[in-house]
Amino acid sequence: QVQLVESGGGSVQAGGSLRLSCTASGRTFSTYAMGWFRQAPGKEREFVAAISRSDSNTYYAASVKGRFTISRDNAKNTVYLQMNSLKPEDTAVYSCAADERRRYYGTSAQIQDYDYWGKGTQVTVSS
């Protein structure tokens, strides 16, 4: 089992940047593929980005591709989400999640594939 804690959220103006972190404790972090998801008020949770256990494969939602970058540091048990050129529509609670069944080079955008979730961190982008 793994516990996930997000940090780095906050308020920023449109066009600004934020870097989210998600630190894991418990089982060996490198055995999990990781993902970031977000949920805006009144909307369903949606996929943002994913990274494989191997750190070599990443996958992004079309809405954030080219603006967001997911990365991981297995030595620090941490996955990051660098968010640039933020837009008001990026406002949401951002949560990280761990997938313990994904193959070494695999990623997933499916909520049901993730086994463990953090509580989330709020990101607010003003126009």
Side-chain angles (χ1 to χ4, degrees), residues 24-63:
S25 61
R27 215 177 112 185
T28 306
F29 179 68
S30 60
T31 63
Y32 296 96
M34 299 297 295
W36 284 97
F37 292 79
R38 67 186 182 186
Q39 187 167 20
K43 295 187 176 181
E44 294 188 350
R45 181 177 284 176
E46 65 174 3
F47 169 73
V48 176
I51 188 166
S52 63
R53 291 167 54 196
S54 70
D55 191 20
S56 61
N57 289 336
T58 57
Y59 182 59
Y60 297 91
S63 59

Side-chain angles (χ1 to χ4, degrees), residues 58-79:
T58 57
Y59 182 59
Y60 297 91
S63 59
V64 306
K65 195 170 185 179
R67 300 188 298 122
F68 291 10
T69 303
I70 188 171
S71 61
R72 66 189 296 162
D73 185 338
N74 287 340
K76 294 183 178 180
N77 291 350
T78 301
V79 61

